[in-house]
Structures are given as structure tokens and as C-alpha cells.
Amino acid sequence: EAAVWIQVQVRYPDTIKVYSRVSNMGRASMELSHVLLNQQRTTVAQASSTMVFFDTETQRPSLIPDEFRAKIAAFDGLLSTK
């Protein structure tokens, strides 16, 4: 799942930087929040996306590994590791 909220028009050859972080983590999925800034550091859009960990053998969602959770928590201390 993904959603985008456009706030300011962007035109070629504008340069856009995308900043992303894990904003929520469940048992088998995580939500990412994204902010897109132009060269003047004005927010031009915001977005969110949901990613599901998936076992291709069982064709079912799988639990997010503890090692992955720990790496995300170490990178972004604001995220709870529960």
C-alpha cells in the first residue's frame, strides 16, 4: 500500500531529495514515512508506504526478524523494538 500527498508543483530540472524512515512496525509489516524536499528545503510532497514481510515458500506473511528490528532501532532510536 502506498499514498502520496503532493503539496508543491515540481518541474524539470528541479532536484528533489527524499527522506524516509520507519514510522511504525508491526509483527509482519512496517510503515515507512517519506518527505520530499526541493532545493530550497520546501516540502513538495509527503508519502507513506506499507511493506509486508512475506514467506515465498508458504505464501503467507512472516514475522519481522528480531535482527532486522534491532538494526532499525539502532539506526532510528525513535522506533520501539517491541
Side-chain angles (χ1 to χ4, degrees), residues 17-46:
K17 289 189 177 183
V18 179
Y19 296 89
S20 301
R21 69 180 297 268
V22 176
S23 54
N24 188 32
M25 191 175 298
R27 292 171 37 90
S29 66
M30 62 183 182
E31 182 176 340
L32 291 93
S33 296
H34 315 279
V35 176
L36 291 76
L37 303 177
N38 64 13
Q39 290 171 303
Q40 292 75 37
R41 298 199 49 84
T42 300
T43 300
V44 297
Q46 295 183 45

Side-chain angles (χ1 to χ4, degrees), residues 6 26 31-32 37 42-43 54-55 59 63 66 69 73 75:
I6 298 170
E31 182 176 340
L32 291 93
L37 303 177
T42 300
T43 300
F54 192 77
D55 184 326
Q59 293 294 298
L63 296 178
D66 289 339
R69 289 177 182 280
F75 183 76

Side-chain angles (χ1 to χ4, degrees), residues 45-76:
Q46 295 183 45
S48 68
S49 56
T50 302
M51 308 200 54
V52 176
F53 280 69
F54 192 77
D55 184 326
T56 56
E57 289 184 22
T58 64
Q59 293 294 298
R60 302 208 25 94
S62 62
L63 296 178
I64 298 172
D66 289 339
E67 181 180 341
F68 182 86
R69 289 177 182 280
K71 287 183 179 183
I72 294 296
F75 183 76
D76 185 353

